[in-house]
Amino acid sequence: QASPCTRVVEERRRMSADDKSRLAKWRRMLAAWSSFVASDPCAVRRRVWRGVPSPVRGNVWTLLLSASAVSELYPPNTFARLCLFDSAADANRNVDEIVRDLPRTFPKVAYFARRNGPGQRALFNVLKAFTSFDAKLGYVQGMGFIAGTLLLHMSEESAFWSLVSMLNACTHAHEPPMSQLFAEGMPLLRRRCFELDRLLAIAAPRLKSHFASEGLHPTMFASHWYTTIHSCGASPEAAARVWDVALAEGPGMTSHRVAIAMLLADADELLLLPFDALVPRVRSLPEVIESRLFPSLDAFMHAVAKAAEVVTHQALDRIVDEWVESDRSSAAPLAIPRQ
């Protein structure tokens, strides 16, 4: 698989007249991004849901994340400096873990598949730089899929600052920083699984009841959905469409809507399965978004939009109140599948 820049050129050659027209609209919007977002946010939201054209997706994502604004807070050579090897014990441990996980991150995506190839080197650089930047958080499994998804659409340095923004900044007022998904005890991940359990009771009470009768809880299958924003298992194309919306409207909210859309699409089959068959089937739902669950990516995103009728800010506010009041120590143990 070619580098992101080469792929953009190839995709531009293959674009239809309608695609070229849509790309032209996005370029005009990007040329006056701040004023366009302020004057017509509904148009921005509508276009994001239809999918950001691949040639400008990296630029759009960095703008949605305010990655350039974050980078300007630091010296120009920060990324290059952080890529340098640090002999400290914690850094060494992070490096060993990153290297171990490289071949497990997007093994079916050609750009990352070759050992020590350009994709794996870029992924290592971004993750190594981040662990040096945020030594307290360090490297946690799952971060590779976030960095890797970014690298499919932008340069190493842009991916690094986008990762910093995603994990450490409150890019959406109603959501805590994503770093809490990976912090000790994984507090945000536990909350997300609790929220999904309650949302499923609203969206699909029969399925929720079946899961409960079989002893299946979201902590047993959904952890990687939230830590990777559904990029682990899904095709790069499906993940990109999810991320377009997630970076615009919030990764937690969007991940919930994707989860509900997938579970509803497969509900008839899931209702027939016992525990031993339920677990692998539910965990693998992102892998069959296009092959079994939905006839097209547009149909998939339509189902995600439909799930927004259930996954609302008001519903989540009520669930969060319940979460705060509950005894969190009694929550089911998290099951983090290996990459």
Side-chain angles (χ1 to χ4, degrees), residues 297-318:
L297 287 181
D298 285 338
F300 164 55
M301 294 308 297
H302 178 77
V304 175
K306 183 72 174 175
E309 297 175 6
V310 173
V311 186
T312 63
H313 291 298
Q314 292 79 9
L316 282 177
D317 286 344
R318 291 192 295 270

Side-chain angles (χ1 to χ4, degrees), residues 15-334:
M15 294 178 80
S16 67
D18 287 344
D19 288 337
K20 289 178 180 178
S21 175
R22 190 163 63 94
L23 176 60
K25 290 180 180 179
W26 271 96
R27 290 195 185 284
R28 288 195 295 271
M29 186 167 68
L30 285 170
W33 178 257
S34 297
S35 59
F36 199 100
V37 169
S39 63
D40 199 351
C42 291
V44 176
R45 185 176 190 272
R46 188 169 58 251
R47 291 180 183 180
V48 164
W49 272 92
R50 290 175 181 170
V52 179
S54 185
V56 297
R57 180 168 273 135
N59 291 339
V60 172
W61 285 6
T62 56
L63 286 167
L64 291 172
L65 290 166
S66 300
S68 295
V70 173
S71 70
E72 290 170 2
L73 299 175
Y74 299 88
N77 65 339
T78 295
F79 173 67
R81 179 175 54 81
L82 291 172
C83 285
L84 297 176
F85 184 76
D86 184 348
S87 61
D90 286 344
N92 281 339
R93 184 167 62 251
N94 281 321
V95 166
D96 290 343
E97 292 173 355
I98 291 169
V99 171
R100 179 198 65 199
D101 287 341
L102 286 177
R104 302 171 180 172
T105 305
F106 295 121
K108 297 180 182 179
V109 176
Y111 181 55
F112 297 110
R114 185 156 63 89
R115 183 177 178 83
N116 297 322
Q120 288 195 9
R121 290 198 301 270
L123 186 57
F124 174 84
N125 288 340
V126 172
L127 293 172
K128 169 62 181 67
F130 180 80
T131 61
S132 298
F133 180 86
D134 189 342
K136 182 177 180 181
L137 182 61
Y139 170 75
V140 182
Q141 194 176 74
M143 289 181 180
F145 284 94
I146 299 176
T149 300
L150 293 168
L151 282 167
L152 289 174
H153 301 281
M154 61 187 73
S155 69
E156 289 181 31
E157 186 165 4
S158 293
F160 166 73
W161 289 115
S162 295
L163 181 65
V164 169
S165 182
M166 286 182 72
L167 294 184
N168 291 346
C170 289
T171 53
H172 299 87
H174 58 278
E175 295 197 10
M178 277 190 67
S179 60
Q180 292 186 24
L181 288 170
F182 302 100
E184 185 176 357
M186 299 182 168
L188 183 56
L189 182 53
R190 292 185 180 278
R191 191 183 107 182
R192 292 293 183 230
C193 290
F194 180 91
E195 291 167 348
L196 178 58
D197 184 64
R198 297 301 188 267
L199 289 168
L200 190 59
I202 300 170
R206 284 185 63 216
L207 187 59
K208 156 65 177 170
S209 178
H210 179 59
F211 281 7
S213 67
E214 294 295 329
L216 184 65
H217 188 272
T219 51
M220 300 176 183
F221 62 80
S223 299
H224 63 298
W225 294 358
Y226 294 99
T227 56
T228 71
I229 319 178
H230 294 280
S231 60
C232 178
S235 71
E237 295 76 19
R241 292 292 299 273
V242 169
W243 279 50
D244 289 344
V245 177
L247 300 187
E249 302 192 359
M253 177 72 73
T254 304
S255 292
H256 279 326
R257 290 169 176 171
V258 172
I260 292 297
M262 293 191 302
L263 289 166
L264 288 177
D266 206 35
D268 289 345
E269 295 297 326
L270 295 174
L271 285 166
L272 302 175
L273 300 177
F275 178 85
D276 289 346
L278 268 175
V279 175
R281 186 174 179 102
V282 177
R283 281 183 178 173
S284 65
L285 286 179
E287 301 172 20
V288 295
I289 285 173
E290 298 150 277
S291 61
R292 179 161 55 82
L293 297 183
F294 302 98
S296 67
L297 287 181
D298 285 338
F300 164 55
M301 294 308 297
H302 178 77
V304 175
K306 183 72 174 175
E309 297 175 6
V310 173
V311 186
T312 63
H313 291 298
Q314 292 79 9
L316 282 177
D317 286 344
R318 291 192 295 270
I319 295 170
V320 169
D321 288 342
E322 183 183 352
W323 162 252
V324 171
E325 294 172 2
S326 70
D327 180 8
R328 281 166 284 185
S329 64
S330 65
L334 289 169

